[in-house]
């Protein structure tokens, strides 16, 4: 847009310094242009008024015209709700409020004409509209009509009278004042080539749509623009980085890997494991730094892959390191890997927050002089005091649990950045990976080791534990082990513990003949390890725990995972927990214990778990249910931007297309130096503030 649209928002008619400050702070709107790029989050078709007798269970937001016949309140305290019986003489609906009851009864009176507006849902045999919008009805002339935009506003904005309606007014003022100055922000060849609506027209139609087709066109144009520039930015920057950065070259396969393969490998690798190792070996020999994400469902055997890759690093004279998110997991990896490496002359150590000072010092020294070859640890190993002699490969297990900054620190652990491999069982759906990582290489282990039986997942109501305990008893008698997990209630660790302690007692009473281990977040690492070990070596048959055992833990003899209050967990967490069983050849079970009454979302989550064992499917479903900003791990993995209009899930085809267009542009004009592309450079520079160091996201 033109410089005119850069005008400070405080000069816009109807704003002023005070409101400007609120717009700045609350929604990042500083200029008139910013305002025009603050898009409605929904539109309501107010051209039509429905009759109550037309309502069915499947309607979006609709408008009704009628009157309230009476108010009634139900329940007490937090369960109190207000119901207004509403009629238009073709039927009745109940309007329901759970909050602001007094305001409603003060504001609205029975037998006055109102336009109400909301989404009807079926409740019992009646229709219900919760928290509807209500406007007094005067006449047809003055009632809202057409497609009405709705803008998100915060509490603070509302307190200063900037609600959605006020935003509409501001938009109108803003648009009229700059409409003639809006200049195109995409090169003409792209606008034409992709049949896009021009910018000025799109801005107009997104705020004041005349009809739905025009609105769709406007949205498509603006979404494209948003996604296109993100892709162009990522692609341009990562290509430059790739060309600049030299990587360590791992040329050979040497004694360590060969001996391990011939003498120590406990089982045949799966084809997927072989393929991944081959690909990554190739990657690490190209002379470019590897930056790869390995996705493999829980139990697919990522640890073994990690180990063999580390051996390649060792064979080439470099050190390797494995970083994991929890102490339990670090210890477990250390023990497993030490066991697997028995007989090979390899120096391996464990470094966590609870490593003793003397051990720590020994580790520091041996890392620096190169005697120590493999270091396994928690984030303790990214501390500045931890310096390597020649670190060649870093593997980050459960990488979504680490922040961008934490991962970035690993880059500086060697004068030439080490190869980086992230591993995760919480797959990032493809569309999201593309947006977040740009050109990060992704490998997928799409095969489980042979002989695994799919885990059977069942939902059990908490009032019907009898049968559940019987089947647990049966498993225990067959020599299997059982996990029972209690949810983590973050607001109250005390309450957590109470849940867990009560559960522990209860389980002791139900299974008197068995030994029960207990692990929770408040225990000292030493105690945690000791309890974990009791379970690993079968001294304890039942493990009662909070989610500290969520990631990575591997006890193949465990065949039952009971998750208490399963409705409290997110999908990927449930999938991770379930992945703690089904690791051996026995049939395993996952039992999701829930109350009888569940919210619609919880019910969906539980159903997905019961129906699917596929981590990718679950991740996609999770993304759809929660929306991308909320996806577990994405915040940490650093989706560093707020999209203004596009939605990477719903708009994945526009994203795909925008990426192709961006690729083509860079292919023809890598420096963007053609005159027709100067506009692209200018826009990229403008987005400069949002330029991320993509290279550091591994
Ligand atoms: P994850 O990918 O979830 O980290 P792990 O690496 O913990 O999975 O492996 C799960 C289990 O599968 C471990 O007990 C491991 O020893 C076993 N395993 C790994 N690879 C194979 C294989 N090729 N054949 C048989 N079992 C395997
Ligand atoms: Mg693992």
């Amino acid at each position: 847009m033109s410089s005119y649209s850069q005008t400070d928002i405080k000069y816009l008619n109807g704003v002023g310094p005070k409101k400007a400050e609120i717009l700045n702070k609350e929604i990042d709107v500083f200029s008139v242009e910013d305002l025009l790029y603050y898009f409605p989050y929904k539109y309501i078709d107010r051209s039509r008024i429905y009759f109550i007798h037309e309502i069915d269970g499947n309607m979006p937001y609709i408008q009704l015209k009628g009157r309230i016949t009476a108010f009634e309140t139900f329940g007490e305290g937090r369960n109190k709700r207000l119901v207004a019986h509403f009629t238009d003489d073709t039927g009745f609906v109940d309007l329901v409020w759970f909050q602001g009851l007094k305001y409603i009864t003060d504001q609205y009176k029975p037998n006055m004409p109102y336009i109400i507006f909301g989404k009807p849902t079926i409740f019992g045999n009646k229709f219900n509209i919760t928290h509807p919008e209500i406007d007094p009805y005067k006449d047809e002339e003055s009632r809202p009509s057409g497609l009405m935009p709705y803008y998100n506003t915060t509490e603070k904005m509302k307190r200063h009278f900037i609600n959605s309606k006020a935003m509409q007014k501001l938009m109108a003022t803003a648009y009229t004042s700059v409409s003639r100055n809006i200049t195109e922000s995409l090169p003409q060849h792209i606008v034409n080539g992709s049949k896009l609506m021009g910018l000025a027209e799109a801005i107009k139609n997104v705020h004041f749509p005349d009809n739905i087709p025009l609105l769709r066109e406007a949205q498509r144009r603006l979404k494209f623009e948003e996604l296109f520039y993100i892709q162009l930015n990522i692609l341009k920057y990562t290509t430059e980085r790739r060309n600049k950065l030299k990587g360590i070259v791992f040329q050979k396969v040497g004694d360590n890997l060969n001996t391990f393969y011939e003498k120590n490998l406990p089982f045949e690798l799966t084809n997927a494991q072989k393929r991944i190792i081959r690909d990554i070996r190739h990657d690490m020999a190209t002379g470019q730094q590897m930056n790869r994400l390995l996705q493999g469902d829980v139990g697919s055997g990522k640890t073994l892959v990690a180990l063999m890759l580390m051996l390649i690093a060792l064979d080439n004279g470099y050190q390797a390191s494995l970083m994991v998110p929890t102490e339990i997991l670090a210890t477990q990896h250390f023990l497993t890997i030490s066991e697997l490496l028995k007989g090979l002359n390899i120096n391996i150590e464990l470094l966590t927050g609870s490593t003793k000072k003397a051990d720590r010092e020994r580790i520091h020294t041996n890392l620096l002089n190169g005697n120590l070859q493999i270091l396994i640890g928690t984030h303790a190993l990214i501390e500045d005091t931890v310096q390597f002699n020649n670190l060649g490969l870093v593997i980050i297990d459960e990488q979504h649990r680490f922040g961008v900054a934490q991962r970035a620190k690993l880059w500086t652990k060697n004068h030439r950045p080490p190869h980086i491999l992230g591993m995760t069982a919480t797959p990032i759906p493809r569309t999201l990976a593309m947006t977040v990582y740009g050109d990060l290489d992704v490998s997928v282990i799409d095969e489980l080791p042979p002989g695994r039986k799919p885990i059977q997942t069942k939902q059990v109501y908490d009032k019907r534990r009898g049968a559940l305990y019987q089947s647990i008893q049966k498993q225990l008698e067959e020599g299997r082990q059982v996990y029972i997990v209690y949810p983590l209630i973050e607001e109250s660790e005390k309450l957590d513990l109470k849940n867990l302690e009560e559960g522990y007692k209860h389980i002791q009473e139900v299974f008197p003949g068995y030994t029960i281990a207990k692990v929770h977040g408040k225990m000292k690492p030493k105690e945690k390890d000791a309890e974990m070990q009791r379970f690993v070596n079968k001294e304890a048959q039942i493990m009662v725990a909070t989610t500290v055992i969520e990631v990575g833990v591997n006890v193949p003899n465990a065949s039952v995972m009971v998750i208490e209050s399963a409705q409290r967990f997110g999908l990927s967490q449930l999938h991770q927990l379930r992945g703690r069983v089904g690791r051996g050849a026995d049939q395993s079970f996952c039992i999701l214990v829930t109350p009888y009454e569940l919210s619609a979302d919880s019910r969906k989550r539980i159903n997905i778990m019961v129906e699917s064992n596929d981590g990718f499917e679950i991740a996609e479903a999770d993304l759809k249910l929660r929306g991308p900003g909320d996806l577990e791990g994405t915040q940490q993995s650093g989706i560093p931007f707020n999209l203004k209009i596009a939605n990477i899930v719903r708009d994945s085809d526009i994203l795909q297309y925008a990426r192709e267009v961006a690729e083509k542009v860079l292919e023809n004009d890598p420096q963007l130096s053609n005159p027709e592309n100067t506009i692209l450079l200018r826009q990229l520079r403008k987005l400069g503030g949002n330029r991320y160091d993509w290279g550091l996201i591994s």
Side-chain angles (χ1 to χ4, degrees):
M1 280 195 215
S2 70
S3 57
Y4 188 69
S5 59
Q6 299 301 330
T7 311
D8 191 323
I9 190 72
K10 74 178 169 205
Y11 299 118
L12 188 72
N13 240 338
V15 180
K18 189 130 180 230
K19 283 188 177 166
E21 204 186 309
I22 288 165
L23 291 171
N24 294 171
K25 283 216 180 99
E26 297 293 298
I27 54 173
D28 265 336
V29 165
F30 292 86
S31 66
V32 174
E33 177 178 329
D34 293 342
L35 183 72
L36 288 172
Y37 270 86
Y38 191 75
F39 301 120
Y41 72 96
K42 68 172 182 192
Y43 301 82
I44 304 292
D45 187 353
R46 301 205 89 165
S47 50
R48 162 135 198 230
I49 290 180
Y50 284 80
F51 291 116
I52 292 178
H53 74 82
E54 291 178 282
I55 298 180
D56 62 42
N58 240 334
M59 285 179 149
Y61 281 77
I62 56 164
Q63 257 181 146
L64 300 169
K65 187 178 92 186
R67 63 202 154 80
I68 293 166
T69 56
F71 285 107
E72 259 187 287
T73 50
F74 296 92
E76 279 307 316
R78 284 178 64 214
N79 294 321
K80 197 162 163 180
R81 66 182 197 278
L82 172 70
V83 172
H85 304 290
F86 184 88
T87 184
D88 65 356
D89 299 325
T90 75
F92 273 93
V93 290
D94 281 347
L95 314 179
V96 185
W97 291 268
F98 299 99
Q99 277 154 20
L101 310 195
K102 186 169 163 1
Y103 175 82
I104 299 295
T105 42
D106 284 351
Q107 195 81 2
Y108 304 108
K109 300 292 168 210
N111 294 319
M112 302 289 289
Y114 291 122
I115 295 282
I116 68 147
F117 178 60
K119 187 174 163 44
T121 49
I122 299 183
F123 191 76
N125 53 3
K126 249 188 169 172
F127 284 104
N128 228 338
I129 300 181
T130 4
H131 287 215
E133 256 180 50
I134 306 190
D135 289 308
Y137 176 81
K138 271 199 230 90
D139 47 37
E140 274 308 289
E141 285 291 276
S142 53
R143 89 172 168 82
S145 66
L147 281 170
M148 185 132 105
Y150 278 74
Y151 297 90
N152 268 320
T153 55
T154 64
E155 283 307 311
K156 195 156 179 201
M157 287 166 74
K158 286 189 195 109
R159 250 182 282 134
H160 289 81
F161 308 103
I162 316 179
N163 57 14
S164 179
K165 271 188 190 149
M167 287 294 281
Q168 274 180 51
K169 267 199 199 131
L170 287 183
M171 288 300 171
T173 317
Y175 182 74
T176 346
S177 71
V178 298
S179 64
R180 272 180 302 146
N181 294 295
I182 295 177
T183 48
E184 186 49 59
S185 52
L186 284 168
Q188 212 51 49
H189 66 98
I190 293 181
V191 175
N192 296 342
S194 303
K195 300 206 171 55
L196 298 171
M197 187 183 256
L199 179 62
E201 216 188 328
I203 295 273
K204 172 167 168 252
N205 278 294
V206 82
H207 292 294
F208 323 102
D210 276 338
N211 55 48
I212 290 177
L214 278 175
L215 171 63
R216 295 276 173 266
E217 272 306 292
Q219 286 174 322
R220 190 173 83 91
R221 143 78 207 218
L222 294 164
K223 287 174 179 180
F224 174 89
E225 172 175 343
E226 182 166 46
L227 296 169
F228 170 79
Y229 276 112
I230 289 173
Q231 292 303 317
L232 190 69
N233 198 10
I234 294 173
L235 290 173
K236 185 163 188 303
Y237 183 63
T238 39
T239 333
E240 280 166 14
R241 174 181 69 84
R242 289 218 153 186
N243 293 340
K244 251 194 331 232
L245 211 68
K246 287 260 178 316
I248 299 164
V249 184
F250 290 169
Q251 262 160 339
K252 57 178 187 218
V253 169
D255 290 348
N256 288 315
L257 188 65
N258 284 332
T259 319
F260 175 78
Y261 197 83
E262 281 152 25
K263 299 227 170 93
N264 289 30
L265 189 63
F267 21 59
E268 177 79 3
L269 294 176
T270 63
N271 285 328
Q273 284 170 321
K274 282 186 199 157
R275 172 173 48 83
I276 301 283
I277 292 172
R278 205 181 326 118
D279 285 356
I280 295 180
R281 233 180 68 197
H282 175 259
D283 237 28
M284 297 191 298
T286 55
Q288 284 187 342
Q289 186 225 18
M290 175 179 76
N291 198 12
R292 190 179 275 271
L293 181 66
L294 175 58
Q295 301 188 338
D297 213 343
V298 281
S300 59
K302 294 186 292 292
T303 317
L304 196 60
V305 171
L307 171 60
M308 293 176 69
L309 296 172
M310 291 198 286
L311 293 180
I312 297 177
L314 268 49
D315 280 339
N316 285 276
Y318 286 88
Q319 294 167 304
S321 185
L322 174 61
M323 180 164 83
V324 303
T326 67
E327 284 212 42
I328 290 185
L329 193 52
T331 311
Q332 184 189 288
H333 275 338
F334 176 71
L335 296 173
T336 322
I337 290 179
S338 305
E339 183 66 31
L340 283 167
L341 292 181
K342 244 189 197 149
L344 275 76
N345 187 18
I346 292 174
N347 203 344
I348 164 171
E349 293 265 15
L350 174 68
L351 181 70
T352 70
S354 55
T355 305
K356 292 246 169 56
K357 193 159 173 251
D359 293 332
R360 190 178 288 268
E361 277 164 8
R362 188 192 65 243
I363 290 173
H364 286 172
T365 316
N366 286 333
L367 268 183
L368 253 186
N369 66 25
N371 284 339
L372 181 49
Q373 291 152 292
I374 295 182
L375 181 64
I376 296 176
T378 55
H379 47 265
L381 60 79
I382 49 180
E383 278 165 25
D384 291 335
T385 44
V386 182
Q387 287 176 4
F388 292 79
N389 181 291
N390 55 354
L391 181 63
L393 169 68
V394 180
I395 297 177
I396 309 169
D397 196 15
E398 311 291 347
Q399 71 114 33
H400 58 284
R401 304 275 296 243
F402 292 94
V404 177
Q406 283 175 317
R407 283 178 271 156
K409 269 196 145 179
L410 291 166
W411 283 58
T412 56
K413 292 278 174 201
N414 202 52
H415 61 278
R416 186 169 279 187
H419 295 299
I420 309 249
L421 179 72
M423 304 200 296
T424 183
T426 307
I428 298 175
R430 223 184 88 71
T431 48
L432 193 55
M434 208 156 91
T435 321
V436 183
Y437 297 117
D439 73 340
L440 179 84
D441 295 310
V442 178
S443 303
V444 180
I445 304 191
D446 49 7
E447 183 187 0
L448 292 179
R452 297 268 175 84
K453 298 195 180 72
I455 302 163
Q456 288 180 18
T457 304
K458 289 193 192 117
Q459 180 186 8
V460 168
Y461 294 125
D462 50 11
K463 297 252 160 61
R464 304 207 186 144
R465 290 163 183 279
L468 168 62
Y469 290 151
Q470 271 171 25
S471 48
I472 292 181
Q473 179 76 31
K474 206 167 137 242
Q475 290 289 311
L476 289 169
E477 279 165 15
E478 284 175 21
R480 305 281 106 77
Q481 287 165 286
V482 175
Y483 291 102
I484 302 176
V485 175
Y486 292 84
L488 196 105
I489 310 154
E490 272 173 34
E491 310 91 71
S492 164
E493 278 173 353
K494 274 214 187 99
L495 206 60
D496 263 7
L497 222 53
K498 183 162 159 277
N499 273 344
L500 185 77
E501 296 295 352
E502 276 171 8
Y504 179 70
K505 269 210 204 102
H506 174 68
I507 295 298
Q508 267 178 330
E509 282 158 20
V510 183
F511 301 103
Y514 294 95
T515 309
I516 304 169
K518 182 173 65 177
V519 171
H520 59 78
K522 289 270 116 173
M523 284 162 76
K524 294 223 173 71
K526 272 256 152 55
E527 298 166 352
K528 265 193 243 172
D529 284 348
E531 285 296 284
M532 205 57 224
Q533 277 316 306
R534 273 179 0 119
F535 192 62
V536 172
N537 62 29
K538 299 197 194 169
E539 191 187 320
Q541 295 81 41
I542 303 176
M543 162 67 80
V544 172
T546 57
T547 46
V548 287
I549 58 147
E550 176 194 338
V551 292
V553 173
N554 185 38
V555 180
N557 187 52
S559 63
V560 183
M561 166 62 68
V562 179
I563 306 175
E564 291 284 345
S565 304
Q567 78 281 0
R568 295 241 192 99
F569 294 85
L571 264 179
S572 56
Q573 217 178 8
L574 288 172
H575 185 61
Q576 268 285 352
L577 283 169
R578 175 169 63 184
R580 297 314 106 215
V581 296
R583 305 190 142 240
D586 303 304
Q587 177 61 57
S588 290
F589 304 90
C590 174
I591 312 294
L592 307 172
V593 183
T594 72
Y596 186 70
E597 279 191 17
L598 287 176
S599 73
D601 266 11
S602 302
R603 194 169 296 281
K604 270 188 210 149
R605 285 202 301 275
I606 301 289
N607 287 343
I608 291 165
M609 286 299 294
V610 171
E611 279 157 23
S612 174
N613 261 316
D614 179 334
F616 283 82
E617 217 172 278
I618 290 172
E620 295 274 357
D622 199 22
L623 193 63
K624 285 207 177 108
L625 273 176
R626 307 212 278 161
D630 206 21
L631 183 80
E632 198 174 12
T634 49
Q635 254 121 22
Q636 294 105 304
S637 58
I639 289 199
F641 37 76
N642 290 319
L643 295 173
K644 285 186 161 59
I645 188 164
N647 173 308
I648 37 189
V649 182
R650 280 198 296 275
D651 301 319
S652 58
D653 27 342
I654 303 183
L655 172 60
Q656 178 78 40
Y657 178 68
R659 185 177 175 91
E660 282 162 21
V661 176
E663 274 167 358
K664 213 174 289 158
V665 167
L666 284 172
E667 211 176 276
N668 293 333
D669 182 12
Q671 301 303 323
L672 302 180
S673 48
N674 291 351
E676 59 171 17
N677 287 332
T678 46
I679 192 168
L680 293 175
L681 267 189
R682 200 170 63 224
Q683 287 295 113
L684 279 186
R685 229 172 282 132
K686 202 163 126 190
L687 298 170
N690 302 331
R691 180 167 174 185
Y692 317 103
D693 207 348
W694 294 100
L696 294 185
I697 301 174
S698 53

